[in-house]
Short mmCIF file of all heavy atoms in Angstrom, two decimals:
data_model
loop_
_atom_site.label_atom_id
_atom_site.label_comp_id
_atom_site.label_asym_id
_atom_site.label_seq_id
_atom_site.Cartn_x
_atom_site.Cartn_y
_atom_site.Cartn_z
N VAL A 68 16.71 -27.40 20.07
CA VAL A 68 15.69 -26.25 20.32
C VAL A 68 16.40 -24.96 20.15
O VAL A 68 15.83 -24.10 19.52
CB VAL A 68 15.13 -26.35 21.76
CG1 VAL A 68 16.19 -26.15 22.78
CG2 VAL A 68 13.95 -25.40 21.88
N TYR A 69 17.67 -24.81 20.44
CA TYR A 69 18.42 -23.58 20.24
C TYR A 69 18.63 -23.37 18.72
O TYR A 69 18.67 -22.17 18.28
CB TYR A 69 19.77 -23.54 20.99
CG TYR A 69 19.39 -23.63 22.50
CD1 TYR A 69 19.56 -24.87 23.20
CD2 TYR A 69 18.83 -22.65 23.23
CE1 TYR A 69 19.37 -24.96 24.52
CE2 TYR A 69 18.48 -22.69 24.56
CZ TYR A 69 18.83 -23.90 25.18
OH TYR A 69 18.43 -24.01 26.52
N ILE A 70 18.91 -24.37 17.93
CA ILE A 70 19.00 -24.36 16.56
C ILE A 70 17.70 -23.79 15.84
O ILE A 70 17.69 -22.96 15.02
CB ILE A 70 19.42 -25.58 15.89
CG1 ILE A 70 20.80 -26.13 16.40
CG2 ILE A 70 19.39 -25.62 14.33
CD1 ILE A 70 21.86 -25.33 16.14
N THR A 71 16.62 -24.20 16.45
CA THR A 71 15.30 -23.79 16.01
C THR A 71 15.09 -22.32 16.22
O THR A 71 14.57 -21.63 15.28
CB THR A 71 14.20 -24.58 16.83
OG1 THR A 71 14.39 -26.06 16.58
CG2 THR A 71 12.80 -24.22 16.35
N PHE A 72 15.57 -21.76 17.38
CA PHE A 72 15.43 -20.41 17.54
C PHE A 72 16.26 -19.63 16.49
O PHE A 72 15.83 -18.55 15.99
CB PHE A 72 15.95 -19.94 18.94
CG PHE A 72 15.25 -20.60 20.09
CD1 PHE A 72 15.97 -20.97 21.23
CD2 PHE A 72 13.96 -20.81 20.10
CE1 PHE A 72 15.23 -21.61 22.32
CE2 PHE A 72 13.29 -21.39 21.07
CZ PHE A 72 13.86 -21.81 22.23
N VAL A 73 17.51 -20.03 16.23
CA VAL A 73 18.30 -19.42 15.19
C VAL A 73 17.57 -19.45 13.84
O VAL A 73 17.56 -18.42 13.07
CB VAL A 73 19.69 -20.12 15.12
CG1 VAL A 73 20.58 -19.58 13.96
CG2 VAL A 73 20.44 -19.77 16.47
N LEU A 74 17.00 -20.64 13.48
CA LEU A 74 16.31 -20.83 12.21
C LEU A 74 15.11 -19.88 12.19
O LEU A 74 14.98 -19.19 11.15
CB LEU A 74 15.74 -22.21 12.10
CG LEU A 74 16.77 -23.26 11.64
CD1 LEU A 74 16.19 -24.66 11.72
CD2 LEU A 74 17.17 -23.00 10.18
N ILE A 75 14.44 -19.69 13.20
CA ILE A 75 13.29 -18.84 13.26
C ILE A 75 13.82 -17.34 12.93
O ILE A 75 13.24 -16.60 12.23
CB ILE A 75 12.59 -18.83 14.63
CG1 ILE A 75 11.78 -20.15 14.68
CG2 ILE A 75 11.55 -17.65 14.74
CD1 ILE A 75 11.27 -20.42 16.14
N GLY A 76 14.86 -16.99 13.63
CA GLY A 76 15.46 -15.57 13.43
C GLY A 76 15.97 -15.39 11.93
O GLY A 76 15.56 -14.33 11.45
N ILE A 77 16.62 -16.34 11.46
CA ILE A 77 17.19 -16.15 10.08
C ILE A 77 16.08 -16.15 8.98
O ILE A 77 16.07 -15.37 8.15
CB ILE A 77 18.20 -17.35 9.71
CG1 ILE A 77 19.48 -17.08 10.66
CG2 ILE A 77 18.59 -17.37 8.26
CD1 ILE A 77 20.48 -18.28 10.60
N ILE A 78 15.18 -17.07 9.15
CA ILE A 78 14.02 -17.19 8.22
C ILE A 78 13.19 -15.92 8.29
O ILE A 78 12.79 -15.32 7.23
CB ILE A 78 13.24 -18.54 8.38
CG1 ILE A 78 14.14 -19.63 8.02
CG2 ILE A 78 11.90 -18.44 7.63
CD1 ILE A 78 13.51 -21.07 8.16
N THR A 79 12.91 -15.43 9.46
CA THR A 79 12.09 -14.24 9.67
C THR A 79 12.88 -13.05 9.07
O THR A 79 12.24 -12.23 8.30
CB THR A 79 11.72 -14.02 11.11
OG1 THR A 79 11.00 -15.02 11.60
CG2 THR A 79 10.95 -12.66 11.24
N LEU A 80 14.12 -12.93 9.40
CA LEU A 80 15.00 -11.83 8.79
C LEU A 80 14.87 -11.87 7.27
O LEU A 80 14.52 -10.84 6.62
CB LEU A 80 16.38 -11.95 9.21
CG LEU A 80 17.35 -10.90 8.77
CD1 LEU A 80 18.43 -10.62 9.78
CD2 LEU A 80 18.00 -11.04 7.40
N SER A 81 15.04 -13.00 6.74
CA SER A 81 15.05 -13.16 5.20
C SER A 81 13.70 -12.84 4.59
O SER A 81 13.58 -12.01 3.73
CB SER A 81 15.44 -14.54 4.80
OG SER A 81 16.67 -14.85 5.37
N LEU A 82 12.66 -13.43 5.15
CA LEU A 82 11.31 -13.19 4.59
C LEU A 82 10.86 -11.90 4.76
O LEU A 82 10.10 -11.23 3.91
CB LEU A 82 10.37 -14.27 5.26
CG LEU A 82 10.46 -15.65 4.78
CD1 LEU A 82 9.48 -16.62 5.42
CD2 LEU A 82 10.35 -15.79 3.25
N SER A 83 11.21 -11.17 5.95
CA SER A 83 10.75 -9.80 6.21
C SER A 83 11.42 -8.87 5.28
O SER A 83 10.83 -7.88 4.71
CB SER A 83 11.09 -9.40 7.63
OG SER A 83 10.30 -10.18 8.55
N ALA A 84 12.73 -9.07 4.99
CA ALA A 84 13.49 -8.22 4.07
C ALA A 84 12.91 -8.34 2.66
O ALA A 84 12.68 -7.35 1.95
CB ALA A 84 14.91 -8.50 4.07
N ILE A 85 12.60 -9.53 2.25
CA ILE A 85 12.04 -9.82 0.98
C ILE A 85 10.60 -9.21 0.97
O ILE A 85 10.19 -8.56 0.02
CB ILE A 85 11.92 -11.31 0.69
CG1 ILE A 85 13.32 -11.86 0.44
CG2 ILE A 85 10.99 -11.64 -0.58
CD1 ILE A 85 13.43 -13.38 0.44
N GLY A 86 9.82 -9.33 2.09
CA GLY A 86 8.45 -8.68 2.17
C GLY A 86 8.45 -7.19 2.01
O GLY A 86 7.48 -6.72 1.36
N VAL A 87 9.47 -6.54 2.55
CA VAL A 87 9.55 -5.09 2.35
C VAL A 87 9.65 -4.71 0.86
O VAL A 87 8.93 -3.93 0.33
CB VAL A 87 10.67 -4.46 3.05
CG1 VAL A 87 10.96 -3.00 2.80
CG2 VAL A 87 10.53 -4.62 4.56
N LYS A 88 10.47 -5.53 0.10
CA LYS A 88 10.69 -5.22 -1.27
C LYS A 88 9.41 -5.62 -2.10
O LYS A 88 9.03 -4.77 -2.90
CB LYS A 88 11.85 -6.10 -1.81
CG LYS A 88 12.21 -5.85 -3.19
CD LYS A 88 12.73 -4.40 -3.55
CE LYS A 88 13.11 -4.27 -4.94
NZ LYS A 88 13.41 -2.91 -5.25
N ILE A 89 8.85 -6.73 -1.77
CA ILE A 89 7.66 -7.15 -2.47
C ILE A 89 6.47 -6.11 -2.18
O ILE A 89 5.81 -5.77 -3.09
CB ILE A 89 7.15 -8.61 -2.04
CG1 ILE A 89 8.16 -9.62 -2.54
CG2 ILE A 89 5.76 -8.90 -2.48
CD1 ILE A 89 7.91 -11.04 -1.99
N GLY A 90 6.38 -5.64 -0.95
CA GLY A 90 5.32 -4.75 -0.56
C GLY A 90 5.47 -3.45 -1.30
O GLY A 90 4.62 -2.80 -1.69
N ASN A 91 6.81 -3.02 -1.49
CA ASN A 91 7.10 -1.83 -2.20
C ASN A 91 6.67 -1.99 -3.68
O ASN A 91 6.25 -0.93 -4.31
CB ASN A 91 8.58 -1.50 -2.02
CG ASN A 91 8.83 -0.08 -2.57
OD1 ASN A 91 9.39 0.03 -3.70
ND2 ASN A 91 8.56 0.90 -1.89
N ILE A 92 6.81 -3.10 -4.24
CA ILE A 92 6.43 -3.26 -5.63
C ILE A 92 4.95 -3.64 -5.87
O ILE A 92 4.34 -2.99 -6.65
CB ILE A 92 7.22 -4.47 -6.21
CG1 ILE A 92 8.80 -4.12 -6.17
CG2 ILE A 92 6.87 -4.83 -7.64
CD1 ILE A 92 9.76 -5.25 -6.44
N PHE A 93 4.46 -4.57 -5.05
CA PHE A 93 3.09 -5.08 -5.28
C PHE A 93 2.07 -4.62 -4.26
O PHE A 93 0.83 -4.92 -4.38
CB PHE A 93 3.06 -6.52 -5.28
CG PHE A 93 3.90 -7.20 -6.46
CD1 PHE A 93 5.11 -7.78 -6.15
CD2 PHE A 93 3.48 -6.99 -7.77
CE1 PHE A 93 5.85 -8.30 -7.14
CE2 PHE A 93 4.27 -7.56 -8.73
CZ PHE A 93 5.43 -8.31 -8.50
N GLY A 94 2.50 -3.98 -3.19
CA GLY A 94 1.44 -3.64 -2.06
C GLY A 94 1.08 -4.82 -1.28
O GLY A 94 1.92 -5.71 -1.05
N THR A 95 -0.04 -4.88 -0.71
CA THR A 95 -0.42 -5.87 0.34
C THR A 95 -1.20 -7.09 -0.29
O THR A 95 -1.93 -7.71 0.45
CB THR A 95 -1.35 -5.28 1.40
OG1 THR A 95 -2.55 -4.74 0.77
CG2 THR A 95 -0.62 -4.19 2.15
N LYS A 96 -0.99 -7.31 -1.61
CA LYS A 96 -1.75 -8.38 -2.26
C LYS A 96 -1.52 -9.79 -1.59
O LYS A 96 -2.42 -10.59 -1.51
CB LYS A 96 -1.23 -8.45 -3.75
CG LYS A 96 -1.95 -9.55 -4.54
CD LYS A 96 -1.49 -9.45 -5.97
CE LYS A 96 -2.06 -10.60 -6.81
NZ LYS A 96 -1.66 -10.62 -8.18
N PHE A 97 -0.37 -9.98 -1.10
CA PHE A 97 0.07 -11.28 -0.52
C PHE A 97 -0.15 -11.37 0.96
O PHE A 97 0.02 -12.46 1.54
CB PHE A 97 1.47 -11.72 -0.91
CG PHE A 97 1.70 -11.74 -2.37
CD1 PHE A 97 2.49 -10.70 -2.94
CD2 PHE A 97 1.18 -12.72 -3.14
CE1 PHE A 97 2.70 -10.68 -4.32
CE2 PHE A 97 1.42 -12.70 -4.48
CZ PHE A 97 2.20 -11.81 -5.06
N LYS A 98 -0.52 -10.37 1.62
CA LYS A 98 -0.55 -10.28 3.09
C LYS A 98 -1.54 -11.31 3.64
O LYS A 98 -1.21 -12.19 4.47
CB LYS A 98 -0.96 -8.88 3.53
CG LYS A 98 -1.23 -8.77 5.07
CD LYS A 98 -1.73 -7.41 5.50
CE LYS A 98 -2.00 -7.25 6.95
NZ LYS A 98 -3.02 -8.10 7.49
N THR A 99 -2.76 -11.33 3.14
CA THR A 99 -3.75 -12.18 3.76
C THR A 99 -3.42 -13.74 3.40
O THR A 99 -3.64 -14.56 4.33
CB THR A 99 -5.19 -11.97 3.10
OG1 THR A 99 -5.13 -12.03 1.79
CG2 THR A 99 -5.59 -10.64 3.58
N LYS A 100 -2.89 -13.91 2.30
CA LYS A 100 -2.50 -15.37 1.95
C LYS A 100 -1.40 -15.92 2.84
O LYS A 100 -1.37 -16.97 3.29
CB LYS A 100 -2.12 -15.47 0.51
CG LYS A 100 -3.32 -15.28 -0.41
CD LYS A 100 -2.85 -15.46 -1.94
CE LYS A 100 -4.02 -15.30 -2.79
NZ LYS A 100 -4.15 -14.16 -3.57
N ALA A 101 -0.42 -15.07 3.15
CA ALA A 101 0.69 -15.41 4.04
C ALA A 101 0.20 -15.64 5.38
O ALA A 101 0.52 -16.72 6.06
CB ALA A 101 1.71 -14.28 4.08
N GLU A 102 -0.65 -14.85 5.98
CA GLU A 102 -1.13 -15.07 7.33
C GLU A 102 -2.02 -16.27 7.42
O GLU A 102 -1.94 -17.06 8.39
CB GLU A 102 -1.96 -13.81 7.81
CG GLU A 102 -1.02 -12.67 8.26
CD GLU A 102 -1.81 -11.56 8.85
OE1 GLU A 102 -2.88 -11.21 8.40
OE2 GLU A 102 -1.25 -10.88 9.80
N LEU A 103 -2.84 -16.53 6.43
CA LEU A 103 -3.74 -17.68 6.43
C LEU A 103 -2.88 -18.98 6.35
O LEU A 103 -3.15 -19.86 7.15
CB LEU A 103 -4.67 -17.69 5.17
CG LEU A 103 -5.61 -18.75 4.95
CD1 LEU A 103 -6.59 -18.84 6.13
CD2 LEU A 103 -6.32 -18.64 3.66
N ALA A 104 -1.87 -19.03 5.46
CA ALA A 104 -1.05 -20.22 5.30
C ALA A 104 -0.29 -20.43 6.73
O ALA A 104 -0.17 -21.56 7.16
CB ALA A 104 -0.06 -20.03 4.18
#
């Protein structure tokens, strides 16, 4: 369970950092699809 917490943190950190870059380039085009999935 503690490994799961670490995975959640690392994956969120990575995807959020990538999200900032994608958002800067493409805007909010992928926002709804990400939340839906």
Side-chain angles (χ1 to χ4, degrees):
V68 68
Y69 299 105
I70 300 298
T71 303
F72 301 143
V73 172
L74 279 172
I75 291 169
I77 291 171
I78 289 172
T79 302
L80 183 151
S81 303
L82 289 176
S83 297
I85 292 167
V87 172
K88 183 65 175 171
I89 291 172
N91 189 257
I92 297 170
F93 297 110
T95 58
K96 181 179 179 182
F97 302 109
K98 176 187 180 291
T99 57
K100 290 181 178 109
E102 283 185 323
L103 179 63

